[in-house]
Amino acid sequence: MPAHGLLPPAPPLPALYSWTGAYLGVQAGYSWGQERTRFSDTFGRAVSGARFRHGADTALGGAQAGFNYQVGSIVLGVEGDVEALDASETMVAPGISARVRRDWQASLRGRVGFAMDRFMIYATGGAAFTDFDYRVLDPATGLAANTSRSKTGWAAGLGVNFAYTDNLILGAEYRYTDFGKVGHAFGGPFQGLSVHHEADTHALRASVAYKF
């Protein structure tokens, strides 16, 4: 029995989880949105002025890497990712058939989070990158042309992370990406033909990462 009737000291409280560290992971999800495509032609061909609104729905998946640094309950971080996707749409107008396609995208973003032990909510934002691939075909002559255009846009979103173990981190995120306006002029048999494209998408992702 303790001397003088004193109670034994209380056991120490378990240490809070630390989010500081580098991590690697994978993610998968679904993206949707509206894209707007307009063709113009200085030679006055029938396609000039043709306008299309089309979806950009696609599954996506890829890899991510990042680093977090925790100060109190605030977690500051940077994250990059690259993803494969299959966003493709074919448009038909008088005198032409055209296809717009994207098969990859990437981003480099900052993150600011609020940690509650093993649970964290965060906001993220930064630059987004992709390639738009265009193919045009003249059904009357069979002539076709392919071209691509790299584009940088921006992305922002909200997400949650849960440290399932000290190293295994589960996540879910909503992200909006806007690539703005893309313009491109064709040459060869389509000399004078230009395409003007706007793309913005929404996406939901689930992720799993290993923190070192």
Side-chain angles (χ1 to χ4, degrees):
M1 183 171 181
H4 310 296
L6 297 177
L7 295 175
L13 294 174
L16 294 177
Y17 181 78
S18 173
W19 290 90
T20 297
Y23 61 90
L24 291 173
V26 293
Q27 76 263 13
Y30 194 78
S31 175
W32 70 96
Q34 279 285 327
E35 300 193 16
R36 296 156 293 281
T37 305
R38 178 175 60 87
F39 291 95
S40 61
D41 189 359
T42 57
F43 290 173
R45 284 174 282 204
V47 70
S48 185
R51 298 172 181 267
F52 302 89
R53 294 181 66 91
H54 49 90
D57 297 7
T58 178
L60 51 82
Q64 60 178 248
F67 180 84
N68 290 320
Y69 183 75
Q70 185 170 356
V71 181
S73 296
I74 303 301
V75 180
L76 305 176
V78 61
E79 182 178 277
D81 62 14
V82 60
E83 297 173 317
L85 47 87
D86 184 21
S88 179
E89 184 70 20
T90 299
M91 298 152 284
V92 178
I96 199 171
S97 174
R99 187 193 69 190
V100 179
R101 179 181 176 87
R102 288 193 304 124
D103 57 16
W104 72 273
Q105 64 184 16
S107 71
L108 181 62
R109 294 164 286 103
R111 303 203 319 170
V112 179
F114 181 80
M116 294 161 280
D117 195 11
R118 291 180 174 270
F119 181 79
M120 178 175 66
I121 57 175
Y122 66 86
T124 183
F129 314 93
T130 195
D131 274 346
F132 290 93
D133 296 319
Y134 300 99
R135 175 178 172 81
V136 292
L137 169 69
D138 184 341
T141 64
L143 295 173
N146 296 280
T147 188
S148 64
R149 179 73 181 272
S150 298
K151 191 70 170 69
T152 299
W154 61 272
L158 298 170
V160 296
N161 282 148
F162 175 68
Y164 185 72
T165 70
D166 286 349
N167 300 106
L168 191 63
I169 299 175
L170 308 180
E173 182 184 277
Y174 161 79
R175 196 186 308 168
Y176 173 79
T177 303
D178 190 340
F179 288 108
K181 297 181 179 180
V182 185
H184 192 80
F186 293 92
F190 297 95
Q191 188 72 37
L193 179 66
S194 298
V195 60
H196 310 272
H197 191 70
E198 298 178 53
D200 55 88
T201 62
H202 307 265
L204 291 174
R205 294 172 176 81
S207 64
V208 58
Y210 185 87
K211 182 172 85 72
F212 298 94

